[in-house]
Amino acid sequence: MVTLPPIIANWFAQRGWQVRDHQLAMIDAAARGRHALLTAPTGAGKTLAGFLPTLADLATTAHEGLHTLYISPLKALAVDVQRNLINPIAEMGLAITVETRTGDTPSDRKARQKVRPPQILLTTPESLAILLSAAEAATMMAGVKRVIIDEIHAFGTTKRGDQLSLCLARLQRLAPAMQRVGLSATIADPESWAGWLAPDADVTQVEIVRAQGGAAPDIDILVIDDRIPWGGHNGRWAARAVMRRIETARLAIVFVNTRAVAELVFRDLWAENDQALPIGIHHGSLAPEARRKVEAAMAAGRLRAIVATASLDLGLDWGDVDLVIQMGAPKGASRLLQRTGRANHRMDEASHCLIVPGNRFEYLEAFAARDAVAVGELDPDGFRPGALDVLAQHVIGCAAAGPFHPDALYNEVKGAAPYAGLTRDTFDAVLNYAATGGYALKAYERYQRLITMPDGRLRLRSAALARVWRMNSGTIVEAVAMNIVFGTGKPGRGGRRLGQVEEYFAGQLLVGDSFMFAGQVLEVTGFDGADVHVRLGRGNPKVPVYAGGRMPMTTRLAMRVRGLMNTPARWPEMPGDVREWLAIQARVSRLPGLDDVLVETFERDGRWYLIAYGFAGHPAHQTLGMLITQRMERAGLKPLGFVASDYAMACWSLDPIDDPRPLFDPTVLEDELAAWLAASPFLRRAFREVAIIGGLIERTQPGVVKTGKAMSVSSDLIYDVLRRHEPDHLLLAAAWTDARGKLTDIDRLAALLERAHAQLTHMRLDRVSPLAVPSLLTIGRERVGESADSALLLEAEALIAEAMRTD
């Protein structure tokens, strides 16, 4: 029977705690030399379970140098784990050193860690990749016994996961006996994740540990006077009611889905904060100092609420949080469960969450997500082959650590799960690109990065290339940003850095303009290179808009929403206006079925409208809108525009659409989309990202940070050259893969068209339907403009009255 070392067992006993079965199972797996994947609900002590074998080993056996690597998806989580790990180590009286290494770590500490590392190092995939590119990596990593990957579900299906998997393969070569450990509360298929975690291991060498028990979460949906709004998507309509809930909580986290909404919600809550409770804001564009200040205040109990994006939704253990509020729909059952778990971080007590839907469709989505969590139905993970731009970056990183032989690196790379099926021809193509830039670019000296040595090994052409690689490595491509500097009010006189806004937003600002940032209204006082200087302002501020970050509703959750609409027996559980909305829709048109695609057409104010209810997510509907309007143009129907949401696509034209079925023909989809993508900004945008990740374009060079305009010009120039002279270039293929998946979600669109081809239900209506109102309100807002509030309100009232007539 597995037992804890006395020094650790006594620590548990002194606190009146009992070691849980899954924690003992993790120690047992480590003792038997097996990799382990732990799935456990929030509050079950997952992180401690992951570290217990390390603590037990270091408590009984001397170990010089690095023993355990802990990989976190968030810098904040690494810092939080360090804080929660150091205290138990100190209380046990163990002489174990623990440090973090992220992008926020001072350079002198990073340099010292290479030659004198701690026994436990907490880091991120990006920092680990840079560490492995150092000449000292082989010596530093040789004694590593364990690597712990926390919140493993945040990695596997992304380019960050590709990068991490390649790093794990390299680590395994440097430390062959290293054990791999994965931790998560929200993976639907542990067996598949075990294969991702340790692809080279026999299935019997990976222990899947499932924690048993745990209280079910308590999830409520906010409804005020039985009413839910028609439009909107972020729950801001309920700011007063949300503030009243915060007043009754010890500590609340208010989650939103984007950074722009975080600023808006913070402002709305502060306006309703009659008791002047201390409230913070946390998102990825704030300066590291600002984020750490908020995290420390929260950990110390000096805040009553914090408005946060995904920057705080993974693994953080704030013990006093007793309420999570989700503003807007969660977009997936797994995400809802993950965020709910931030409240009441104890396994045997329920976590409390309040969802604030932004509109009636989002109410159904929130209802469906709560149902899914109640029955333990999580969103499946879509594994895919590893990205070639990430592999190209990894190749240069390996060369930065020292010369390598192609055969050895190929065998190593195939030990990473996403690249297990990589052919030698494809690997050689990546190697050729990394070495020369490819056929069309090899004449340019700047792309000559690798040199073949007499013994067949490859090395970097110069040491300067390694430095540039480290400055630009990583798979998260943010838009070019400008610094927000507060203090003196004048350029050239220093100041305190608050964070960053994207360059295209800053380019629209003038001296004297006001905008929201870090929960404050700031006034622009001047510009100095990449700095926007500000002071406190007032008035009606603009809100920074950030590219990306919009999360589509998952396929499984969409099916549940359709199921609710087609189950009238569940309608009595819903607010009165939602019941009425669905009932009148069923009377004047029909509700979308479980297997069909409902398309409504009607005329209003001299324009003809088509609404397709695909429930395929915003990216797929956005692409559908592009496709449908192009087909309408060719048919002479004079399309005027379209809008998309997670639930529907609406387009409008000057001429009526008698039969929409040909517009949804799936047979020529690939050819049409290939031509459309080639002419659209999507492929250029995707190419810019893969060119940055693949090292073709450098965001930063020593002493120089490129502007967004400069990077766009460079990217577009290279894109045009490759399209003309090397259309099968590795990065063009990678850009097409990205545009097809991430930007346009073509797979979900193709499934939608196939469903429409099999069963399209066309309803010709004499007026707008209740389900169409949210889409037309969006069209109205775009047409009328944000400033014309009274006109917009009158139009909305007339539209709703028309839709809800029962005659």
Side-chain angles (χ1 to χ4, degrees), residues 108-121:
D108 58 339
R109 189 186 307 165
K110 290 181 179 179
R112 191 262 303 153
Q113 286 173 344
K114 291 180 184 178
V115 295
R116 208 165 60 253
Q119 290 165 304
I120 300 175
L121 183 64

Side-chain angles (χ1 to χ4, degrees), residues 294-305:
V294 170
E295 292 161 15
M298 194 171 181
R302 297 194 301 270
L303 293 179
R304 288 292 296 276

Side-chain angles (χ1 to χ4, degrees), residues 395-710:
V395 167
I396 300 298
C398 291
F404 65 84
H405 196 283
D407 293 345
L409 185 59
Y410 175 62
N411 291 330
E412 178 184 304
V413 165
K414 284 178 65 67
Y419 300 93
L422 184 74
T423 66
R424 184 58 192 252
D425 285 347
T426 301
F427 175 78
D428 288 342
V430 173
L431 205 59
N432 178 58
Y433 159 73
T436 68
Y439 170 78
L441 301 176
K442 65 181 180 181
Y444 298 91
E445 184 179 353
R446 60 175 298 186
Y447 301 119
Q448 303 298 311
R449 293 173 291 196
L450 299 181
I451 294 175
T452 302
M453 301 170 66
D455 62 0
R457 292 183 300 163
L458 298 178
R459 67 168 177 84
L460 278 185
R461 181 168 55 85
S462 70
L465 288 171
R467 182 183 178 193
V468 172
W469 181 90
R470 293 182 185 110
M471 295 175 70
N472 290 277
S473 67
T475 62
I476 301 174
V477 180
E478 297 276 11
V480 176
M482 295 185 70
N483 302 316
I484 305 301
V485 180
F486 181 90
T488 64
K490 294 185 179 181
R493 298 189 183 178
R496 177 166 55 93
R497 184 169 172 268
L498 298 180
Q500 296 182 316
V501 295
E502 292 183 4
E503 185 184 60
Y504 84 94
F505 173 78
Q508 302 170 22
L509 298 173
L510 301 173
V511 172
D513 284 351
S514 295
F515 65 98
M516 286 289 300
F517 190 78
Q520 306 171 91
V521 177
L522 303 175
E523 179 187 336
V524 178
T525 60
F527 299 88
D528 184 13
D531 295 340
V532 181
H533 288 260
V534 299
R535 64 187 176 196
L536 289 178
R538 54 187 173 183
N540 187 26
K542 299 178 180 179
V543 178
V545 177
Y546 300 89
R550 189 164 189 165
M551 299 175 286
M553 177 175 57
T554 63
T555 300
R556 184 166 289 180
L557 188 56
M559 286 299 298
R560 280 192 167 272
V561 171
R562 294 161 72 92
L564 282 173
M565 299 177 83
N566 286 273
T567 311
R570 299 291 306 276
W571 296 2
E573 303 173 46
M574 301 177 187
D577 60 353
V578 175
R579 294 197 304 269
E580 181 188 32
W581 178 55
L582 296 176
I584 295 179
Q585 172 69 23
R587 183 183 305 177
V588 303
S589 176
R590 62 162 292 170
L591 291 162
L594 293 175
D595 302 313
D596 72 339
V597 173
L598 172 64
V599 175
E600 296 177 335
T601 56
F602 53 87
E603 186 269 341
R604 191 174 191 272
D605 294 337
R607 296 182 179 184
W608 292 88
Y609 292 87
L610 177 151
I611 319 289
Y613 302 94
F615 294 88
H618 184 272
H621 288 151
Q622 184 83 5
T623 309
L624 176 67
M626 297 280 192
L627 181 70
I628 294 294
T629 51
Q630 279 194 347
R631 291 177 174 180
M632 290 173 67
E633 188 73 45
R634 290 198 296 270
L637 296 174
K638 304 182 181 69
L640 298 173
F642 72 91
V643 294
S645 70
D646 271 336
Y647 317 100
M649 185 281 298
C651 60
W652 58 101
S653 59
L654 292 177
D655 289 348
I657 300 169
D658 295 325
D659 182 9
R661 287 172 180 81
L663 300 177
F664 292 83
D665 181 6
T667 57
V668 291
L669 175 65
E670 288 289 344
D671 292 340
E672 283 182 287
L673 284 175
W676 168 67
L677 274 175
S680 77
F682 283 106
L683 196 55
R684 288 181 180 271
R685 174 181 159 192
F687 178 79
R688 189 173 304 125
E689 291 195 5
V690 300
I692 290 170
I693 294 172
L696 207 57
I697 299 173
E698 288 136 4
R699 290 169 283 193
T700 307
Q701 292 179 333
V704 179
V705 178
K706 288 187 179 179
T707 65
K709 183 177 181 180

Side-chain angles (χ1 to χ4, degrees), residues 27-106:
I27 296 175
D28 178 64
R32 290 184 286 117
R34 299 174 67 171
H35 307 297
L37 175 66
L38 171 62
T39 66
T42 298
K46 282 194 307 298
T47 306
L48 181 57
F51 277 111
L52 273 179
T54 294
L55 299 182
D57 192 13
L58 291 174
T60 57
T61 307
H63 184 91
E64 290 294 326
L66 186 58
H67 180 287
T68 294
L69 276 163
Y70 166 89
I71 313 298
S72 161
L74 300 175
K75 297 175 185 177
L77 179 53
V79 174
D80 180 58
V81 168
Q82 182 190 31
R83 180 174 53 244
N84 292 327
L85 191 59
I86 285 177
N87 286 340
I89 288 173
E91 291 167 356
M92 293 176 195
L94 296 173
I96 298 174
T97 53
V98 183
E99 294 181 5
T100 60
R101 183 188 180 95
T102 71
D104 297 339
T105 303

Side-chain angles (χ1 to χ4, degrees), residues 311-391:
S311 60
L312 285 185
D313 73 359
L314 291 171
L316 294 168
D317 182 8
W318 309 109
D320 286 335
V321 175
D322 58 344
L323 176 63
V324 160
I325 300 173
Q326 168 64 45
M327 300 292 280
K331 301 302 169 189
S334 296
R335 183 176 295 110
L336 175 60
L337 183 61
Q338 184 74 37
R339 291 183 168 181
T340 300
R342 306 283 65 77
N344 197 20
H345 218 84
R346 288 172 287 277
M347 182 177 178
D348 300 322
E349 299 179 25
S351 297
H352 300 282
C353 177
L354 176 68
I355 307 175
V356 185
N359 57 54
R360 298 176 183 207
F361 273 120
E362 284 204 347
Y363 175 84
L364 294 175
E365 185 182 331
F367 201 105
R370 184 174 66 178
D371 281 356
V373 169
V375 298
E377 180 184 275
L378 301 178
D379 301 307
D381 298 296
F383 294 101
R384 85 268 183 282
L388 298 184
D389 52 332
V390 179
L391 178 56

